[in-house]
Amino acid sequence: MKLSPRYLELQLAHTFTIARSSADIEPCIIVELEHDGIIGFGEAAPSERYGENKTTVMNFLKQVDLTRFKDPFQLDEILSYVDAIAPHNTSAKAAIDIALHDWIGKRLGVPLWKLWGLNKELTPVTSFTIGIDALDIIEKKVKEAEQYPILKVKVGVPNDEEIIKTIRKVTDKVIRVDANEGWKSKEQARDKILWLEEQDVEFIEQPMPAHDLDGTAWLREHINIPLIADENVIQLYDLPTLKDAFDGINIKLMKCTGLREAMRMIHTAKAMKMKIMLGCMIESSVAISAAAQLSPMVDYADLDGNVLITNDPFRGVTLSNGKLILNEKSGLGVESR
Amino acid sequence: MKLSPRYLELQLAHTFTIARSSADIEPCIIVELEHDGIIGFGEAAPSERYGENKTTVMNFLKQVDLTRFKDPFQLDEILSYVDAIAPHNTSAKAAIDIALHDWIGKRLGVPLWKLWGLNKELTPVTSFTIGIDALDIIEKKVKEAEQYPILKVKVGVPNDEEIIKTIRKVTDKVIRVDANEGWKSKEQARDKILWLEEQDVEFIEQPMPAHDLDGTAWLREHINIPLIADENVIQLYDLPTLKDAFDGINIKLMKCTGLREAMRMIHTAKAMKMKIMLGCMIESSVAISAAAQLSPMVDYADLDGNVLITNDPFRGVTLSNGKLILNEKSGLGVESR
């Protein structure tokens, strides 16, 4: 098995700003895993929030020696080995996991959704993300997002209310709000959310800093719409800790190390009767298509990373009025443009 | 897709007695699922404890109309349909789940352990079950079980202590104890277990009636070896309720409706840091081989249903000094004798 990573920069259509950061380009590492004449594609979209960047991903991938394994079917053995190389580095690990799954699907001649016994008609409608921006730009973005029936709005800044009012002025679409840990006290978060409830917001993602789980549990008792964990849920073992603080979880392949761990988290969240959202970073169609393969199992999708960029090097999952459309191609169902 | 069930009786080598029942033969329904020239095998081993018997299984299977589906890959759609036909009937549902998985593995040309990315070398050693019996017969059975390094001993009767003493007189093997809900008060269970701890017993399965979860939680605080849930854990949604009462769970395909649900339970139990045991009823090599496919993921196996019978119509997974040996054949890896 041969692993070849290449670095590229994803160009954002608009400067992308959330509570803690702002960017015009985002790093992306595409990996090709070649074995027995078949190439599996994977992708790492590193996030500084989790201590990763272009350099950490490339350095991690350099340490991965897959020649010791027989073939990509050995998922448990390979992924245990990769996981033990170093802690964290979750997007680098996800790149390998995704490439292995693409290879297996291609080898068996079936798309992953079929390999997993899922119903591809049950994919959800993805939300379209409106980043933090000047109010006139936000209004323009909302108008441009006409084809998307659900908006995910980034807040967690002093003028949150103005942002929401600006959007509500031009649309009555479903709005989901993502604070990205931006509210610093539980009382502030409560006041913000009680106001947002009046603006007909469906749910709130990660209102408080991840370290303040007790504050979030208090908050949940004082509001009426669901709270979805994002920065608070990285991998499987985090789930049982969230029971009192959150109603649901946002699973991202780049946080959790890939499809195999995401599947485990989906089953566990269902057992706990928590809502499940599939989210993303700014990603190409490789990683977005990978997550989309799991999407018939989840309640909410926020898989718009590839439509926020202008130079996607791949095509895979598509959208029809926001609904994720899986194809019949093997593996991830992606091909180079 | 065509589903053909046939009834047969499994002959026990010894009368099999547990705390609540006794039998010389056990009912077994083998199903053949035929589609596109491939036959998938499944099996139902109905248990009266869960309201099933030969008649309920045959009646349930008669109601299943798979002609409405395109192919066995549609696991989620087919199994949701089957599940909605009637509540319970878990072994009848498992027969269909197992047959679908066997068909898929055969169609793709891979064993299930490989399809699931597991390491087949990581299978556990199965325990060998010693049913309740006259003490001289128990001694004889223990001697006959020479090739099995781990014994699972059925208790929950007035002379539990005599049974264990008889076994400990002739062997220092690992002993696991299964009370099958046989102890009726938490104080009785505590006294029994504290004594069993001195006899070097590894863990206790289902000490108290399933309805007394509070009593079991109390019990757990007063003993020192792990408690494994059996009758208390049927399907996925039971797991979060067990956190305070049990250290682990016994998953049986016949209780949980099959491989797909078992996989969900395994992932959830791992998230909860609970120990996982794979158990069985009296079953042929079809159902035992199905469970064995999952076994690289679990801590303990009690998959001896097929070695307790004398007329197994199939061969599949084998044992080497008690260790489950998976083969390289597609699907379940079983064939008719």
Side-chain angles (χ1 to χ4, degrees), chain B residues 151-222:
Chain B
L151 300 179
K152 170 162 152 173
V153 181
K154 296 284 190 178
V155 299
V157 284
N159 71 334
D160 290 346
E161 288 84 354
E162 283 184 318
I163 290 174
I164 299 296
K165 276 188 201 164
T166 300
I167 298 172
R168 269 288 170 250
K169 203 174 60 189
V170 292
T171 183
D172 59 358
K173 285 179 185 178
V174 172
I175 293 182
R176 298 169 181 170
V177 159
D178 186 359
N180 283 113
E181 312 178 279
W183 299 324
K184 300 308 178 194
S185 84
K186 59 192 182 190
E187 293 82 5
Q188 183 199 20
R190 175 199 57 198
D191 295 345
K192 293 267 193 183
I193 295 172
L194 290 176
W195 182 83
L196 287 166
E197 288 176 8
E198 293 169 16
Q199 313 309 309
D200 201 14
V201 162
E202 188 181 17
F203 62 68
I204 309 288
E205 210 180 318
Q206 196 68 38
M208 308 265 298
H211 63 76
D212 193 3
L213 206 51
D214 289 343
T216 309
W218 177 91
L219 174 63
R220 189 175 173 221
E221 294 296 310
H222 290 80

Side-chain angles (χ1 to χ4, degrees), chain A residues 71 73-77 108 110 114-119 236-237 240 260 264 267-268 270-273, chain B residues 71 73-77 108 110 114-119 236-237 240 260 264 267-268 270-271 273:
Chain A
D71 68 43
F73 282 109
Q74 295 177 279
L75 282 175
D76 264 1
E77 288 160 276
L108 296 175
V110 285
K114 188 169 181 174
L115 190 64
W116 295 330
L118 306 179
N119 179 351
L236 183 65
Y237 293 110
R260 197 156 175 84
R264 296 181 184 122
H267 295 323
T268 302
K270 287 198 191 220
M272 294 174 67
K273 299 186 179 171
Chain B
D71 68 45
F73 282 108
Q74 294 177 279
L75 281 175
D76 263 3
E77 289 161 275
L108 296 176
V110 284
K114 189 169 181 174
L115 191 63
W116 294 331
L118 306 179
N119 179 351
L236 183 64
Y237 293 110
R260 198 158 175 83
R264 295 182 184 122
H267 292 147
T268 302
K270 287 197 191 221
K273 298 186 179 170

Side-chain angles (χ1 to χ4, degrees), chain B residues 3 45 88 112 162 174 212 229 242 244 258 262 266 280 298 302 307 310 335:
Chain B
L3 195 68
H88 311 302
L112 292 178
E162 283 184 318
V174 172
D212 193 3
L242 304 179
D244 297 326
I266 288 171
C280 63
V298 309
D302 180 45
V307 297
T310 57
E335 54 190 14

